[in-house]
Amino acid sequence: MRSRISRLGFGAFFIIVLSILTGCTRDEGIKDIEGGARIVFAHFKVPSPETLSGLIEAFERQNPGVKVIEEILPTSTDQQHQFYVTALEGRSAAFDVFALDVIWIQEFARAGWLLDLTPRLGADRLAGFLPGPVEAATYKDRIYAVPWFANAGILYFRKDLLWKYGFAPPRTFTELSHQARVILEGERDSNLKGFVWQGKQYEGLICVALEFIHGNGGAVLDGRQSALRDKQAVEALQLMHDLIAVDKISPHLVTSADEEATRHLFGAGRAIFMRNWPYALALYEQEDSKVRGRVDIAPLPSFEGYQSAPTLGGWLLGVNRFSTRSDLARKLVEFLTSQSVQKVLAIKLGFPPARHALYHDAELKMANPFIPPLYEAMRRARPRPVTPFYLMISQLLQPELSAAIMGVKPPERALEDASRLIEHILKLERE
Amino acid sequence: MRKDEIRPALLMILPACLFIGVVAIFPILNAFRISLDRRMPVFGISYFVGLDNYRFLLQDPRFWQSFLNTAYFSLLSVSLELALGLLLAILLHGSFRGRGLFRAVVLIPWAIPTVVSARMWEWILNPDFGLLNYLLQQIGLLSSPLNWLGDRVLAMHALIMADVWKTSPFVALILLAGLQMIPEELYEAARVDGAGGWQIFRRITFPLLLPFILIAFLFRTLDAFRIFDLVYVLTGGGPANTTETLSLYAYKLLFQTLQFGYGSAVAVATFLTVLLISTVCILLVKRQHHG
């Protein structure tokens, strides 16, 4: 009896182990439903899900027999990236259309996970789109994703304070420093800070640093070489450091601040200028906001003689290369990135459109007055280094940039160290 | 054991052995195997490089910095936790009114998930709105707010503070169990012999508690050496990598930049260090028991 029990237990255990080892059975893929097909659209959780679902129903009505399933992923961008990499590594066809962060396209295109959309959307078809997202979607002259909505860094300022001292929004960093100094001296409020931005060691710091570097005519990459040794980049980082340590326009706390920390500070009326994404604008105009009616936005400043160069954010839609319904998937991408859908997303969800024309749309202006003023920033928005190795480059730049703005290393040395590491990564391409 | 019992006995422990093999030993061996490759599937790179990753690791300043950060964090936080835990345990061991409630309250920090308590500390430590700066300024210890998480010296110590707050109750719990195992008669006899409080602590409490202290030390050191969540939420390893720990570095390599080969090498190095620490600790505990 005793040995029978143990044999039974062992048998059950053996089955469990076996099923763990072999893994779950592979997804059967997309099954036809009566007279049509279903496709899966994977995306992050949007602010008002019923709007997107409504749009998808409209697509289903236009394409009788087609059923679109929404697969909602976690909010964290890191987790979404992991999900896609794991699935696509295994050539999964569990989703057909998916939302892509601007910084992933090169990596995924190089890995061969994205369907080449060029035949359907030639260069002229993308003419209506903003240049930044199109650049981010192009890998070796082919287009692998269609811009869904854009995002870009902007300058928030306290218009009540600027008007009081007779200032116009600053166009250069020198002007910004000067204005901040005059206002801080005039206000004599120890709680008021000059210019707040995101300086914590994370992706946000890269976005801000690029705005300084690009805004001084610099760059991260020059083909296979690092361009960070150039004097433009060094000057840019020196300025970020000096804003904190020398000019004292930016408080020390920026070295640990992310978007939300700066948004709260500025929202409490305790900063004159802030660099952030457009999402904060609508929040500042809500009834309970302390700065309601006192905030305005402008393109980010640049160095003298150069143009404002906000960092591009936002999302694109791509088609899974392993999808068995790629025609239908392409149709859905085209639909979701169409002018009319982007307009609805801008009005209802506040997603800044990725198409030029919508920023001049009278109806959109009426419905969501926060969107049209963003045009200048969106038009100028520059993608982060367009390379399949971006995530690795970002990871090794973060501590070096942090060290430079903290004054742990002089900018030249931090950028020299970063350059060596970046060139080490770029060598992979040859292997 | 009788001879005919050996076979069924082996059969009985086989499932446990298999289970450990599948969930513990296999992944470790597999990680070691992968650490001998240059493997970046996203880039279509996957080939055997032998010990190359380890050679690179030995010269990787970022690895050494995270190693030192982790060691510093572990040493300081575990020492403080043992001291504070011992104090708490002695307090909790005494008899006073409301002891049950007090014991429950003390355990709250340990019960809160780390990610949640990390978010809480993020607000407490906020240079502008944070409670800590406010309190320190109110009692006159600070004249201007400190930037706890953005300063290269303060950031690490702020993390240690948050960790000590969270895990001292755990140490207290283990030591309290130890205290309650010490027979009351020993104390009575000591008092009859005229021993003072400090003498009783040194001659009775501490030696009898030592095995428990070593166990708490072992648990906490192993945990501290793998610290991830607190750092991930509070500083992300910054500023300037001053708070990046081995686990965080391995995470960034493995899951953010998908360098499976080198990331595994860092993970294996962490594993070996932890293994070394635990072996030393276990030997110490054993000697304490037999010696």
Side-chain angles (χ1 to χ4, degrees), chain B residues 75-98:
Chain B
L75 195 74
L76 212 58
S77 63
V78 173
S79 322
L80 288 170
E81 279 153 24
L82 285 176
L84 208 64
L86 183 60
L87 203 70
L88 270 176
I90 291 171
L91 281 177
L92 290 173
H93 188 52
S95 52
F96 52 90
R97 268 184 59 192

Side-chain angles (χ1 to χ4, degrees), chain A residues 83-327:
Chain A
F83 170 83
Y84 290 132
V85 169
T86 318
L88 295 169
E89 247 302 283
R91 306 178 148 253
S92 166
F95 52 88
D96 306 277
V97 173
F98 61 130
L100 294 148
D101 193 325
V102 280
I103 55 179
W104 304 338
I105 318 255
Q106 306 291 311
E107 181 186 323
F108 287 8
R110 187 184 180 280
W113 296 341
L114 287 169
L115 194 73
D116 181 357
L117 299 175
T118 328
R120 277 286 274 273
L121 305 144
D124 52 321
R125 298 287 299 269
L126 287 182
F129 288 90
L130 300 166
V134 173
E135 187 188 342
T138 312
Y139 176 66
K140 294 195 169 163
D141 296 326
R142 314 291 290 177
I143 288 154
Y144 288 90
V146 186
W148 196 25
F149 63 91
N151 216 345
I154 51 173
L155 182 75
Y156 290 75
F157 64 88
R158 282 278 300 282
K159 59 181 174 193
D160 54 336
L161 287 174
L162 259 66
W163 298 174
K164 183 173 163 192
Y165 290 84
F167 290 133
R171 281 196 314 239
T172 64
F173 288 115
T174 321
E175 272 177 42
L176 182 141
S177 293
H178 169 71
Q179 296 182 359
R181 205 170 300 126
V182 171
I183 296 174
L184 286 174
E185 271 166 27
E187 291 296 305
R188 293 175 192 281
D189 174 0
S190 65
N191 274 329
L192 191 68
K193 320 282 185 205
F195 178 33
V196 293
W197 37 277
Q198 296 83 45
K200 181 180 168 176
Q201 181 179 326
Y202 80 124
E203 182 66 28
L205 173 59
I206 308 263
C207 296
V208 178
L210 281 175
E211 284 157 357
F212 280 81
I213 295 170
H214 288 156
N216 193 27
V220 174
L221 295 181
D222 178 11
R224 281 275 173 73
Q225 298 277 304
S226 160
L228 291 172
R229 296 186 186 92
D230 297 353
K231 100 176 188 312
Q232 283 99 327
V234 177
E235 276 174 12
L237 243 62
Q238 187 67 51
L239 176 64
M240 292 173 80
H241 168 265
D242 290 353
L243 280 173
I244 305 170
V246 181
D247 307 335
K248 305 202 189 318
I249 301 296
S250 296
H252 247 294
L253 66 89
V254 297
T255 57
S256 63
D258 57 10
E259 284 90 352
E260 284 295 271
T262 47
R263 178 175 76 83
H264 283 292
L265 191 74
F266 189 84
R270 293 170 66 174
I272 307 166
F273 298 106
M274 171 179 72
R275 181 270 173 210
N276 213 329
W277 307 94
Y279 78 101
L281 196 53
L283 298 172
Y284 288 152
E285 291 307 319
Q286 280 173 359
E287 291 231 2
D288 53 351
S289 163
K290 271 192 185 168
V291 290
R292 190 175 184 203
R294 299 194 291 166
V295 177
D296 205 349
I297 55 158
L300 284 166
S302 63
F303 282 69
E304 197 71 59
Y306 293 98
Q307 300 226 306
S308 168
T311 296
L312 177 79
W315 292 74
L316 295 89
L317 297 180
V319 174
N320 181 353
R321 239 271 304 274
F322 311 110
S323 162
T324 50
R325 297 267 168 221
S326 56
D327 276 332

Side-chain angles (χ1 to χ4, degrees), chain A residues 13 78 82 89 107 110-111 193 200-201 252-253 255-256 265 270 388-389 392 395 399 402-403 406 408 431, chain B residues 15 18 40-43 47 62 127-128 147 149-150 152 232-233 238-241 251-252 255-259:
Chain A
F13 183 76
D78 278 352
Q82 274 171 46
E89 247 302 283
E107 181 186 323
R110 187 184 180 280
K193 320 282 185 205
K200 181 180 168 176
Q201 181 179 326
H252 247 294
L253 66 89
T255 57
S256 63
L265 191 74
R270 293 170 66 174
F389 303 98
M392 284 159 104
Q395 268 309 322
S402 174
M406 300 277 305
V408 175
E431 284 177 13
Chain B
L18 265 178
M40 284 174 258
V42 188
F43 303 115
Y47 52 85
R62 191 156 171 184
D128 222 58
N147 183 18
L149 296 174
R152 60 178 157 143
Y232 181 77
V233 173
N241 266 356
Y251 168 82
K252 286 175 181 173
F255 297 108
Q256 288 189 333
T257 65
L258 308 166
Q259 304 177 65

Side-chain angles (χ1 to χ4, degrees), chain B residues 136-196:
Chain B
L136 290 177
Q137 279 174 297
Q138 285 297 308
I139 58 172
L141 269 179
L142 279 184
S143 55
S144 61
L146 286 177
N147 183 18
W148 293 98
L149 296 174
D151 183 281
R152 60 178 157 143
V153 179
L154 288 178
M156 173 57 89
H157 295 98
L159 289 177
I160 292 173
M161 178 162 59
D163 196 60
V164 168
W165 173 83
K166 185 185 159 56
T167 40
S168 295
F170 173 70
V171 175
L173 200 67
I174 295 181
L175 299 186
L176 183 61
L179 282 177
Q180 286 179 338
M181 304 255 299
I182 303 174
E184 194 53 37
E185 297 87 66
L186 283 180
Y187 290 113
E188 278 163 22
R191 272 192 289 272
V192 168
D193 288 344

